Amino acid sequence: MSDERDDELFQAENEKPIDYKAILFEYLMYWPWFVACLIICLAGAWCYLRYEAPVYNVNATVLIKQGDKNKAGGQNASLAAMQDLGMLSMASNFDNEVEILQSRTLLKKVVNTLNLNITYQEKRSFGYPTQLYKDTPIQVWMSPEEADKLPSALQIKLACTADGKVQTDALYYQAGKERTVSKNFDRLPGVLVTPVGTLTLSPKDSTTIKEAHTIYATVITPTAAAASCKARLSAEPTSKFTTIVRLNYNDTHIGRGKDFLNTLVALYNSDANDDKNEVASRTAEFIDGRIQIINQELGTTESELASYKQKAGLTDLSSDAKLALQGNAEYEQKRADNATQLRLVQFLKEYIDNPSNQMEVIPANIGLADNALTKVVGQYNEMLTERKRLLRTSSENNPAVVNLDTSIEATRKSVQASVNSVLKGLEITRNDLENQARKFEGKISNAPTQEKELLSITRQQEIKASLYLMLLQKREENAITLAATANNGRMVEEPLSAGSPVSPNKKTFYLIALVLGIGIPIVIIYLNNLLRFKIESRADVEKITDVPVVGDVPMADTKGNPIVVHENHNDLMEEVFRSVRTNIQYMLQEGQKVILFTSTSSGEGKSFTAGNLACSFAFMGKKVVIVGLDIRKPGLNKVFQISHKEKGITQYLADSEHTDLLSLCQPSIVSPNLYILPGGTVPPNPTELVARKTLDKAIEILKANFDYVILDTAPIGMVTDTQLIARVAELSVYVCRAGYTHKSHYELINELKKDKKLSNLCTLINCIDMNQRKNGYYYGYGKYGKYGKYGKYGYGKKYGYGYGYYEKEKK
């Protein structure tokens, strides 16, 4: 538990607040990127707006008539009554009409009426093409049936000359290949036959073309054009309490948009009127058929009456039979009316029982005296009409249609039951009337047989005549109903456009370009920083660890001499190492002299920084010795140009009793105050050698004779030698190299600090390229040559020490 608590405390200590000022400064260093990206994005937006055709909004308002629910026998009243009884469940009629207005079927009719599947444009040398509608000098036509079979859009180029000639090039795709059909016309109209359809070309208003034009026409399928219109059309109610719908349509041509909305409303009213007149049309067909039959029967009866009177020679009836005849005539009239109603009901029953008329409306207003039967027939017809209207915008599986079908079936059975009931009632009435008539017939039984036959013929003639007159009256009433049908929708506000385009929105596009112009460089810089896996600057080090940074050493030219610090010079490198020297002195306590240099891996500049720091101390008048404790592969020999065969610290560690340590310290040519104790011969057991107490004894001797002792050790991330040497160090300098040290490798410094494996730990950043913008505040200090990767190690793949190195040198 204590370890976990220590880890949490360590992580909390390492967390640093975000330096927003440094982040802003880092991004501002790339200001040319932002300027260039802004110019490119704004130029791109300007070009897009220049070549993109503007889209205008055309709007209109339409009143959808709902009808009067209080009208008896009206469609809406019947449906409302059935809804109240729970027999029918359906959506609001207004919502249905709004959906019909936007239906693809209706839109396709509009497309075919206005030929909206054919568009025209005239290209300009600079800017978006000019959209042509009714002002095109040449009109192209293709039948909707052929257009619906087009495999892809048909492009037509019409090059007109001033003398009326037209060069036509039709481009289409067939079987995945581009094909062209060309034809010249000396005058129009003309016909262009292509494998995908026949095109008819005609001049506007049948006039001759007098100017040179190049028109580009595009033909697409009416279905695709209807889908495009549907995407650009919207219909919304103006409020919750009205049945007024606002139509909005977007088009690149204002005139075409206005024509579209006007035609849409006109075709909508036409379809609605056809639906309303369906019952009346069926009734008219039924009445006309019955009139023909009754007319034939009436003519036959009248002929029989005339023949009988002529044959019998009847002129007058006997006065004795008048009273009986008057009473009998009254019941005969009733029998005639009863027979008329009975005949009509039988006609209606035959029509209903016919299977072919199962989903057809039942003739109404044919003279039935039974109001209940007339009403239920009217309800049944209204439900069939509503079902057909619903099927226009939905399928038969729609819950509303399924429920309506159930109600229709129930109502049909009710109609059949009512017809049978009325038929039985009329038959009972007929029997009663016949019984009464027989009483009067008994009174005139002695009347001449001729008179009886005359009455029978007269009765048949009266029945046919009254039925014929009634059917003529009903036909006129039905004709009035057909003529009095009103439109379902009324245009409240004519189509109108504001005149200014709604798309593309220039402000929006320029704002997007501005955001992209700023955002793209930010994202690129952020991703670039995110993908940098090597230490580049002091900021990277401070993000990884809170170990104090004692200095930032810039990149220097070390080809001639790795020692870049010179006495009595005030150049940048001298000042940098003076600053490092001061910071190290500040961290050393009184009496502390031993400074250890190490790093994560080879090539990070431990020997370079240690050597130049030693020179800086020497130039200050301090007596300094630098010890090459990287005994696997000594680096000081190259920095101070000493032969690898020189004896060094390894000889003393191997045989301290017979070796004088101070005699191994060589005076440096850089300064009389600087001494060098090389690593010496590479031993076969370097780890065991530095682990001996002899090392402690050697350091004590050096501390007694020098003001500062600087230890150049091996990379601590590769071998354990440095961890063993660290016991004698009083300050540890952990070196990392900009553009070389991996951030993940450098995180080892946190573990060393946590485990206290290096005493008085600090870090030094080496080889910073001050000309790189990524180094933030370093940028602009001057140009310095890069130095090579000194002291490359190879334990394994990188730090490969051969323990036979000494023997190889001797050979």
Side-chain angles (χ1 to χ4, degrees):
M1 290 294 293
S2 62
D3 293 340
E4 294 179 359
R5 204 170 292 167
D6 291 341
D7 291 341
E8 293 176 358
L9 292 174
F10 182 74
Q11 291 176 2
E13 291 175 358
N14 287 337
E15 291 181 359
K16 294 181 173 60
I18 300 175
D19 189 353
Y20 293 101
K21 183 182 289 187
I23 295 175
L24 178 62
F25 181 78
E26 180 181 359
Y27 280 95
L28 287 178
M29 299 303 297
Y30 295 88
W31 66 266
W33 290 23
F34 287 91
V35 173
C37 195
L38 275 173
I39 293 174
I40 292 173
C41 291
L42 291 175
W46 183 84
C47 292
Y48 175 81
L49 294 173
R50 182 69 182 176
Y51 288 94
E52 181 69 14
V55 178
Y56 301 90
N57 176 261
V58 182
N59 60 78
T61 55
V62 179
L63 172 64
I64 304 297
K65 299 177 183 179
Q66 294 286 68
D68 187 3
K69 291 186 177 182
N70 297 322
K71 290 183 180 180
Q75 178 181 1
N76 289 331
S78 302
L79 294 176
M82 298 184 70
Q83 282 183 289
D84 294 339
L85 294 174
M87 297 174 62
L88 181 62
S89 174
M90 60 183 178
S92 170
N93 184 54
F94 175 71
D95 294 336
N96 292 337
E97 299 302 322
V98 172
E99 289 299 322
I100 292 174
L101 272 171
Q102 303 177 83
S103 64
R104 187 168 298 179
T105 302
L106 182 59
L107 294 178
K108 191 172 182 179
K109 291 182 179 180
V110 177
V111 169
N112 291 334
T113 302
L114 299 177
N115 291 326
L116 296 182
N117 63 312
I118 304 175
T119 56
Y120 307 87
Q121 62 182 12
E122 186 175 7
K123 294 184 179 180
R124 298 187 297 176
S125 58
F126 187 69
Y128 56 84
T130 302
Q131 301 295 316
L132 303 177
Y133 177 47
K134 292 182 178 180
D135 50 349
T136 175
I138 300 177
Q139 294 181 346
V140 179
W141 184 84
M142 175 183 279
S143 65
E145 294 77 12
E146 281 189 314
D148 249 335
K149 298 177 182 178
L150 287 174
S152 61
L154 179 60
Q155 305 287 340
I156 307 164
K157 179 181 178 182
L158 305 169
C160 313
T161 59
D163 56 357
K165 296 182 180 181
V166 179
Q167 168 67 36
T168 305
D169 297 311
L171 175 65
Y172 63 95
Y173 289 88
Q174 192 174 44
K177 295 183 179 180
E178 181 179 312
R179 303 178 186 275
T180 304
V181 176
S182 301
K183 187 175 181 180
N184 292 325
F185 296 94
D186 293 334
R187 64 177 60 188
L188 296 181
V191 176
L192 176 63
V193 179
T194 69
V196 294
T198 302
L199 299 169
T200 301
L201 309 179
S202 59
K204 180 184 177 182
D205 300 330
S206 301
T207 58
T208 304
I209 300 172
K210 298 180 180 180
E211 295 181 4
H213 292 279
T214 300
I215 308 299
Y216 294 87
T218 303
V219 184
I220 61 175
T221 62
T223 302
S228 175
C229 293
K230 185 177 178 65
R232 291 179 280 125
L233 174 68
S234 64
E236 299 176 352
T238 56
S239 70
K240 296 181 179 179
F241 308 103
T242 64
T243 59
I244 297 178
V245 60
R246 181 177 299 278
L247 300 176
N248 290 284
Y249 183 71
N250 294 331
D251 203 317
T252 54
H253 196 286
I254 296 177
R256 184 167 55 199
K258 291 181 179 180
D259 289 348
F260 175 84
L261 292 182
N262 284 323
T263 307
L264 177 66
V265 175
L267 292 178
Y268 163 75
N269 284 326
S270 177
D271 289 350
N273 290 337
D274 291 342
D275 292 337
K276 291 179 182 178
N277 294 334
E278 184 175 1
V279 175
S281 299
R282 293 283 181 178
T283 302
E285 293 176 2
F286 177 79
I287 291 176
D288 290 339
R290 301 316 303 169
I291 285 177
Q292 292 180 2
I293 296 174
I294 297 302
N295 188 30
Q296 293 177 359
E297 294 178 353
L298 181 61
T300 302
T301 304
E302 289 177 348
S303 299
E304 290 179 357
L305 179 61
S307 299
Y308 180 80
K309 285 184 176 181
Q310 184 178 7
K311 181 180 178 180
L314 296 176
T315 57
D316 192 10
L317 299 175
S318 60
S319 58
D320 296 337
K322 284 185 179 181
L323 294 176
L325 289 175
Q326 288 177 357
N328 188 42
E330 180 181 355
Y331 283 95
E332 289 297 330
Q333 182 62 39
K334 293 180 178 180
R335 290 176 64 187
D337 293 339
N338 176 265
T340 299
Q341 292 296 319
L342 189 62
R343 191 70 176 273
L344 289 175
V345 173
Q346 288 174 347
F347 289 159
L348 192 60
K349 179 176 175 58
E350 292 173 359
Y351 184 86
I352 294 173
D353 293 340
N354 190 349
S356 61
N357 299 327
Q358 185 170 359
M359 295 306 291
E360 301 292 339
V361 295
I362 300 174
N365 299 327
I366 58 175
L368 294 175
D370 194 290
N371 292 331
L373 179 58
T374 303
K375 183 176 181 180
V376 73
V377 169
Q379 292 177 354
Y380 179 80
N381 290 339
E382 291 164 357
M383 292 173 68
L384 287 178
T385 302
E386 183 62 17
R387 181 181 184 273
K388 292 181 178 181
R389 290 173 63 82
L390 288 177
L391 286 177
R392 290 195 172 195
T393 57
S394 60
S395 64
E396 293 185 352
N397 296 327
N398 191 306
V401 177
V402 174
N403 292 339
L404 188 59
D405 289 341
T406 305
S407 301
I408 290 173
E409 184 62 26
T411 306
R412 183 177 182 84
K413 292 181 180 179
S414 177
V415 170
Q416 292 175 339
S418 298
V419 169
N420 293 332
S421 176
V422 171
L423 188 61
K424 289 182 180 179
L426 291 174
E427 288 175 353
I428 293 173
T429 303
R430 182 187 62 185
N431 294 333
D432 293 337
L433 292 175
E434 287 178 354
N435 291 335
Q436 294 296 329
R438 290 192 190 98
K439 294 179 180 179
F440 288 98
E441 288 175 358
K443 294 180 181 180
I444 57 173
S445 58
N446 296 326
T449 304
Q450 295 85 354
E451 187 175 0
K452 183 178 179 180
E453 293 179 358
L454 180 62
L455 289 174
S456 178
I457 296 173
T458 302
R459 183 172 62 249
Q460 294 296 326
Q461 186 266 340
E462 289 176 354
I463 292 173
K464 299 292 190 299
S466 61
L467 183 59
Y468 182 76
L469 292 175
M470 184 194 66
L471 290 174
L472 289 177
Q473 180 182 357
K474 293 301 178 182
R475 184 171 66 178
E476 293 303 317
E477 292 176 357
N478 194 67
I480 293 173
T481 302
L482 281 171
T485 302
N487 289 334
N488 201 46
R490 179 171 66 87
M491 190 78 77
V492 179
E493 293 182 358
E494 296 294 329
L496 181 65
S497 174
S500 57
V502 296
S503 174
N505 191 320
K506 294 185 178 181
K507 293 182 179 180
T508 302
F509 272 91
Y510 282 123
L511 180 60
I512 292 174
L514 182 64
V515 172
L516 290 176
I518 298 175
I520 290 175
I522 290 177
V523 172
I524 293 175
I525 295 170
Y526 174 76
L527 292 177
N528 182 48
N529 293 339
L530 196 64
L531 296 175
R532 278 178 7 206
F533 56 89
K534 294 182 179 179
I535 291 176
E536 303 292 347
S537 64
R538 185 188 190 114
D540 294 335
V541 172
E542 292 176 345
K543 290 178 183 178
I544 297 174
T545 182
D546 60 350
V547 172
V549 181
V550 294
D552 311 279
V553 179
M555 185 183 297
D557 185 5
T558 60
K559 293 181 179 178
N561 187 1
I563 300 300
V564 296
V565 178
H566 304 89
E567 191 173 11
N568 299 325
H569 283 207
N570 294 316
D571 292 336
L572 179 61
M573 296 304 294
E574 283 79 8
E575 293 298 332
V576 168
F577 277 99
R578 286 170 187 162
S579 175
V580 174
R581 181 186 69 194
T582 302
N583 292 333
I584 289 178
Q585 285 180 315
Y586 177 78
M587 293 186 67
L588 288 171
Q589 301 297 325
E590 186 177 354
Q592 293 182 345
K593 300 180 178 181
V594 183
I595 305 170
L596 179 144
F597 275 79
T598 187
S599 64
T600 308
S601 60
S602 62
E604 294 178 308
K606 301 182 308 302
S607 301
F608 167 78
T609 54
N612 282 279
L613 180 63
C615 293
S616 181
F617 273 115
F619 294 152
M620 192 176 64
K622 300 295 182 179
K623 191 175 181 182
V624 183
V625 62
I626 181 168
V627 183
L629 280 177
D630 187 359
I631 57 179
R632 295 177 182 266
K633 189 176 182 182
L636 286 179
N637 300 65
K638 190 171 184 179
V639 173
F640 291 99
Q641 300 177 357
I642 300 174
S643 173
H644 286 283
K645 298 180 180 180
E646 293 287 341
K647 295 182 179 180
I649 188 70
T650 55
Q651 277 74 21
Y652 179 80
L653 295 177
D655 187 10
S656 60
E657 295 181 359
H658 301 89
T659 305
D660 183 9
L661 179 62
L662 296 178
S663 64
L664 297 176
C665 297
Q666 303 178 17
S668 171
I669 61 174
V670 178
S671 172
N673 294 325
L674 177 61
Y675 290 83
I676 304 166
L677 180 55
T681 305
V682 177
N685 55 344
T687 303
E688 290 75 9
L689 204 60
V690 297
R692 297 176 181 177
K693 292 292 184 179
T694 312
L695 178 63
D696 300 74
K697 181 179 177 182
I699 298 302
E700 291 298 328
I701 295 173
L702 295 176
K703 288 173 65 177
N705 291 276
F706 295 94
D707 294 325
Y708 291 99
V709 179
I710 299 177
L711 309 180
D712 180 25
T713 65
I716 196 170
M718 294 184 171
V719 294
T720 60
D721 299 1
T722 303
Q723 297 185 32
L724 298 174
I725 299 171
R727 70 182 186 275
V728 300
E730 295 165 340
L731 185 140
S732 302
V733 180
Y734 197 97
V735 180
C736 66
R737 179 176 172 183
Y740 182 85
T741 304
H742 288 249
K743 294 179 181 179
S744 59
H745 297 169
Y746 183 73
E747 290 177 354
L748 176 63
I749 192 173
N750 292 325
E751 297 181 11
L752 297 173
K753 178 185 176 183
K754 177 184 175 184
D755 298 337
K756 299 180 180 179
K757 294 181 179 180
L758 295 179
S759 59
N760 203 6
L761 183 61
C762 63
T763 187
L764 176 65
I765 308 171
N766 183 35
C767 199
I768 294 177
D769 187 357
M770 294 184 179
N771 294 308
Q772 294 293 326
R773 295 180 183 273
K774 60 188 176 183
N775 287 331
Y777 52 80
Y778 297 134
Y779 177 67
Y781 275 74
K783 296 184 178 180
Y784 299 89
K786 296 183 179 180
Y787 74 104
K789 299 177 181 178
Y790 295 105
K792 285 194 174 180
Y793 296 88
Y795 296 94
K797 292 184 178 180
K798 291 185 177 179
Y799 209 95
Y801 274 35
Y803 286 106
Y805 182 87
Y806 177 64
E807 287 75 15
K808 183 177 179 181
E809 289 293 326
K810 290 196 296 182
K811 291 180 181 179

